[in-house]
Amino acid sequence: MNELAKDLGLLEALTIGVGTMIGAGIFVLPGPATAVAGPAVAVSFVIGGVISIFTAMSASELGTAMPKAGGSYYYVNHALGPIFGSIAGLGNWMGLAFASAFYAIGFGSYVAGFLPDVSVEVAGIVFSQSQLYALGAGTLFIAVNYIGAKETGRLQNIIVITLVGILAVFIVACIGNADPATLTPLAPKGWGAVLPATALVFVSFLGFAKITTVAEEIKNPGRNLPLAIIGSVIIVTVIYAVIMLLINAVLPWQEISGNGDIAVVSVGRVVLGGVGVVALTVGGLLATASSANASILASSRINFAMGRDRLVSDWLNAIHEKYATPHRSIALTGGLILLFIMIGDVKTLAKAGSVLHLIVYGLLNLALIVMREADVPEYQPDYTVPFYPVVPIVGAIASFGLIAFMDMLEIALSLVFVVVAVLWFYAYARRNTPKQGVFSRHILDRAEEMPDSAVAAAEAVQPDASRYRVMVPLSNPEHESNLITLASTMARQHDNGTVVAVHIVDVPDQTPLAVAAEHLDELDAESNDLLAAARADAETYGVDVETHTIFSHRVFEEIFDAAKNQRADVVVLGWGPDSHGSPGRVESFSADLLGDLSCDFVVFRDRGFDPSRVLVPTRGGPGSEVSADVARTLRDEYGSEVMLMNVTDDPKERADHELGLEHWAETHGLSEVRRVVDVSSSVDEAIAARAQEHSLLILGATEQGLLSRLTGDLGALKVVEKVDCSVILAETAYKRSLAQRLFGNGRKGFSIPESSETS
């Protein structure tokens, strides 16, 4: 799994938020917003800021607990599941792409104000002067983001610091020319116009959430992330409110509303003369540039995060070897932005993007509630919202509620995007993503306690399990090739399934997992090489392969959690004293006592992979289904010579055992293979004797429970040390009671059909 370098400090993160928000709010929207609410538009900005603060606090907690690229998309996807992740991802991605195009066109309009009027016709399509300049600006910012986040952060610092300086001079000049009487009446359109104006200007507050989209690249996110998110909202809200009051105190609100996108330039001419016009024009250029630049950065990171979760093609995951950026994601996003610029009419789409962001913000607040209430062990935020659960509840209600004050066109367009996202989930993402949301997993794990309707709804949005997934935890490079060979064989024989290679890094208890992730080379220098070798080996079999590095304080137990999270159908696990925290030790059986197996397990004692002659002792025990599946797979893939074996200590029962073995072979697709029933007082001795003639031994898991195993009757496990060939221990997914886990399931021998017993 690819990771992004941490290059952004507090100032860079803060300027991403301020730079995005300060653009549209100051230099594009004063005229249109004043036309809606008059001078009371200052109150509209304050309300927008207050609504944003609630979501900003929720985003800060989620961000410090999960500092991943993708921000609000990642949090929604992780907590609520991939169907809501598809909505959040597409909403954020498209909303930001539209906004980037809108800002770029705004930039072009400011440039067009003082350069000669030109236009170009291509294939019958006329591109205006502002469009041409916008295309040039958009291309420049896309290129800057392609080069790398560090360059982006530095450029953003320069833009925002310069912009704040211009606005500071402008504010001082406005104070000297303001007439409070001009603000009367404060709400000429009535106070009922304030919330519709808030809906219009809310696009100005999208910047704070953009900081979370680069959380994976922020240094010390536990401190810098909440400071940057909450700080940017407060700073920009104060600037908005002050400037909107001042410009409406300098000129009557009718003149402000009549000057459209250049309202602040008109005010600048009044308070500073020609110098003011130049300064505010430069400010407008910097503001729209910073907004476009920050939005491109954020939108490409969302696309990258969706690709990493396989909600969109994994092809987007590639990290540039030189620049260490998701270059394909940036290139795709950039192409869409340039397309929207050429279309030109993006204002309505940008407003619809605001509606989508409000939907995402509402879902983000709900995601926080889910993470808190599900009590997920790995959820350990460095910052927690005050007054929980009031903050996320109010944040969700306010976000969804403000949508009602948008125009119907924007609401309808946003609903189209939601429908497209849901259709995309069922058409593509559901069968490709391994992600399962915390919310649905929480419900399904407690299905017996939950209402049937809740369980049915949770099952309906689960990722499609039809694609067979074979997970391979890797720890020892010496056994990687044989484990991947076995896993790839099983995947290929199940309609070209997917091999999921997982390396779990053992992290000391004293080391936080986030710190460990930053020092992978120091903790486990072989990790990257191990997974690269696994990918190469699996690809030789023509199967899809995923690789994941997981950091954990409990390596062996993490295998079971990873199997569930990766939606594995079967786990192929190496077995030995140096594998995954030495399974086989007494303490390693805690997983058996405390939990169920979510999928089948194939545990491989590697003494060389030679499937030419396979012995399968069985009496229809709990692992026999998996034993049969592995035997069929090897037979079909390698033409293995398979022998089925059963042992009885009573010669009089031999005939019954032969009938039972025959019936078992027929029902498991192995009717043509050789079968033998040996009479022996020692099952393990009989198996060991037969194994001398074979290259691979497949055993069903022991029926004994935990206490039986710990008291010395290890059943099948004793045979392993008596044979020289490789051994596969197969166990099927199960749910058992506590008594069964402790004492065994009480099942003995084959289930022989009545016709066999009476014949």
Side-chain angles (χ1 to χ4, degrees):
M1 180 179 290
N2 298 315
E3 301 292 340
L4 301 177
K6 292 183 180 294
D7 287 329
L8 304 178
L10 175 59
L11 182 59
E12 287 89 349
L14 191 65
T15 54
I16 287 173
V18 173
T20 304
M21 290 189 283
I22 212 167
I26 299 299
F27 291 94
V28 179
L29 292 178
T34 300
V36 174
V41 70
V43 180
S44 299
F45 275 104
V46 172
I47 294 174
V50 171
I51 293 174
S52 299
I53 282 289
F54 284 99
T55 300
M57 287 190 284
S58 295
S60 296
E61 176 173 324
L62 291 166
T64 59
M66 300 176 286
K68 289 289 185 179
S72 54
Y73 149 73
Y74 178 83
Y75 311 142
V76 172
N77 188 52
H78 183 73
L80 302 181
I83 186 169
F84 292 102
S86 298
I87 295 171
L90 183 63
N92 267 331
W93 179 23
M94 288 293 98
L96 286 167
F98 292 138
S100 298
F102 175 70
Y103 297 140
I105 289 176
F107 181 92
S109 298
Y110 272 96
V111 173
F114 57 87
L115 289 180
D117 189 12
V118 295
S119 62
V120 175
E121 183 175 348
V122 179
I125 301 175
V126 178
F127 294 96
S128 67
Q129 181 184 20
S130 61
Q131 281 180 303
L132 293 174
Y133 296 139
L135 286 170
T139 302
L140 172 64
F141 291 123
I142 292 165
V144 168
N145 280 271
Y146 192 96
I147 292 173
K150 184 179 294 184
E151 287 74 12
T152 300
R154 290 173 178 171
L155 177 61
Q156 199 73 4
N157 289 347
I158 295 171
I159 291 175
V160 174
I161 291 172
T162 304
L163 182 59
V164 170
I166 292 174
L167 289 176
V169 174
F170 177 63
I171 289 172
V172 172
C174 285
I175 291 174
N177 290 270
D179 180 5
T182 309
L183 295 173
T184 305
L186 186 61
K189 298 295 187 72
W191 290 103
V194 170
L195 285 177
T198 302
L200 173 62
V201 303
F202 195 79
V203 65
S204 307
F205 292 95
L206 303 186
F208 75 87
K210 310 309 173 287
I211 301 171
T212 66
T213 65
V214 294
E216 199 170 357
E217 302 169 61
I218 294 176
K219 301 173 184 177
N220 190 11
R223 171 185 177 273
N224 291 338
L225 192 61
L227 285 176
I229 294 174
I230 299 173
S232 64
V233 174
I234 294 174
I235 290 171
V236 170
T237 300
V238 172
I239 292 175
Y240 284 161
V242 170
I243 288 183
M244 293 308 297
L245 282 174
L246 287 174
I247 64 174
N248 277 279
V250 171
L251 290 177
W253 70 270
Q254 295 90 341
E255 291 187 35
I256 299 295
S257 62
N259 279 288
D261 297 343
I262 59 171
V264 292
V265 176
S266 300
V267 177
R269 180 180 291 110
V270 172
V271 299
L272 292 170
V275 174
V277 172
V278 173
L280 270 299
T281 299
V282 172
L285 291 171
L286 292 176
T288 52
S290 66
S291 296
N293 184 57
S295 296
I296 292 170
L297 170 64
S299 61
S300 64
R301 296 309 192 266
I302 292 169
N303 200 355
F304 166 78
M306 292 180 71
R308 183 167 59 184
D309 291 335
R310 299 177 74 89
L311 292 183
V312 295
S313 172
D314 193 47
W315 176 83
L316 294 173
N317 263 343
I319 298 293
H320 197 284
E321 293 183 0
K322 180 178 180 180
Y323 302 125
T325 58
H327 60 292
R328 290 173 179 168
S329 174
I330 292 173
L332 176 59
T333 303
L336 290 172
I337 291 169
L338 295 179
L339 175 63
F340 297 151
I341 291 173
M342 287 187 287
I343 293 174
D345 185 16
V346 296
K347 284 190 175 182
T348 298
L349 296 177
K351 290 172 66 179
S354 292
V355 181
L356 285 172
H357 277 86
L358 285 168
I359 294 173
V360 173
Y361 291 168
L363 293 175
L364 184 148
N365 284 284
L366 296 179
L368 173 62
I369 296 173
V370 167
M371 296 305 295
R372 285 281 197 100
E373 297 304 316
D375 195 22
V376 181
E378 62 269 22
Y379 185 72
Q380 299 292 333
D382 294 328
Y383 165 86
T384 55
V385 299
F387 309 114
Y388 176 87
V390 174
V391 168
I393 291 175
V394 171
I397 293 174
S399 298
F400 291 135
L402 190 59
I403 295 174
F405 295 93
M406 291 284 184
D407 293 337
M408 286 304 301
L409 178 61
E410 285 78 42
I411 295 175
L413 190 56
S414 69
L415 291 177
V416 169
F417 281 118
V418 171
V419 171
V420 169
V422 172
L423 292 177
W424 177 260
F425 168 75
Y426 283 106
Y428 176 85
R430 192 183 187 200
R431 70 173 186 270
N432 287 283
T433 181
K435 194 75 174 181
Q436 184 182 25
V438 170
F439 185 46
S440 58
R441 190 164 66 240
H442 181 76
I443 292 175
L444 294 177
D445 287 347
R446 296 159 179 79
E448 296 179 357
E449 306 169 11
M450 296 290 179
D452 292 342
S453 57
V455 175
E459 291 175 343
V461 298
Q462 288 303 291
D464 189 0
S466 60
R467 190 90 180 261
Y468 196 77
R469 295 174 63 81
V470 184
M471 191 184 93
V472 191
L474 298 171
S475 63
N476 189 338
E478 294 182 6
H479 301 300
E480 172 273 323
S481 180
N482 287 340
L483 287 171
I484 291 295
T485 296
L486 177 58
S488 300
T489 299
M490 297 179 68
R492 187 159 67 175
Q493 285 294 320
H494 287 79
D495 299 324
N496 286 322
T498 299
V499 172
V500 183
V502 173
H503 179 57
I504 303 174
V505 178
D506 189 8
V507 180
D509 290 340
Q510 298 82 0
T511 304
L513 297 181
V515 174
E518 298 175 10
H519 299 85
L520 173 60
D521 291 340
E522 299 172 25
L523 285 170
D524 195 330
E526 297 180 335
S527 177
N528 292 330
D529 292 341
L530 183 63
L531 291 179
R535 176 177 289 276
D537 288 339
E539 287 176 346
T540 62
Y541 287 85
V543 297
D544 290 340
V545 58
E546 300 173 13
T547 59
H548 301 270
T549 299
I550 300 173
F551 298 88
S552 178
H553 296 303
R554 47 187 187 92
V555 174
F556 184 57
E557 290 83 352
E558 183 62 36
I559 293 172
F560 301 93
D561 291 339
K564 183 181 293 185
N565 293 334
Q566 293 296 331
R567 297 190 300 112
D569 293 282
V570 62
V571 172
V572 175
L573 180 68
W575 181 13
D578 57 350
S579 300
H580 315 290
S582 299
R585 299 178 304 178
V586 170
E587 59 266 29
S588 297
F589 282 105
S590 60
D592 192 344
L593 174 64
L594 298 176
D596 302 311
L597 289 184
S598 62
C599 65
D600 297 337
F601 269 69
V602 172
V603 185
F604 184 47
R605 172 61 67 89
D606 187 3
R607 298 185 179 114
F609 184 70
D610 179 5
S612 58
R613 301 178 311 281
V614 179
L615 177 64
V616 186
T618 182
R619 60 175 187 175
S624 65
E625 299 287 339
V626 186
S627 298
D629 185 39
V630 175
R632 288 194 307 271
T633 295
L634 297 176
R635 177 199 62 188
D636 296 343
E637 183 75 15
Y638 298 105
S640 303
E641 179 184 327
V642 179
M643 174 182 281
L644 303 182
M645 176 187 181
N646 183 252
V647 181
T648 178
D649 59 358
D650 187 351
K652 297 179 181 179
E653 296 181 358
R654 184 170 188 167
D656 287 341
H657 281 258
E658 288 176 344
L659 288 173
L661 188 60
E662 179 183 0
H663 175 70
W664 185 90
E666 290 175 351
T667 57
H668 289 82
L670 295 168
S671 58
E672 81 289 354
V673 305
R674 294 173 59 201
R675 300 184 297 274
V676 61
V677 176
D678 286 342
V679 179
S680 174
S681 60
S682 174
V683 174
D684 54 306
E685 292 290 349
I687 294 174
R690 288 282 180 183
Q692 293 180 4
E693 306 169 1
H694 293 81
S695 59
L696 179 64
L697 174 64
I698 302 177
L699 297 167
T702 176
E703 295 177 348
Q704 279 79 11
L706 174 68
L707 295 186
S708 298
R709 282 186 254 177
L710 296 185
T711 54
D713 185 9
L714 300 181
L717 299 183
K718 292 194 295 184
V719 180
V720 176
E721 305 305 328
K722 296 184 178 182
V723 301
D724 297 325
C725 63
S726 292
V727 179
I728 288 176
L729 180 66
E731 184 154 9
T732 189
Y734 59 70
K735 280 198 171 186
R736 295 186 295 175
S737 67
L738 180 60
Q740 288 174 328
R741 291 177 189 149
L742 293 173
F743 303 109
N745 60 20
R747 182 176 165 188
K748 300 291 181 183
F750 290 116
S751 175
I752 303 175
E754 291 184 7
S755 58
S756 299
E757 293 177 340
T758 57
S759 60

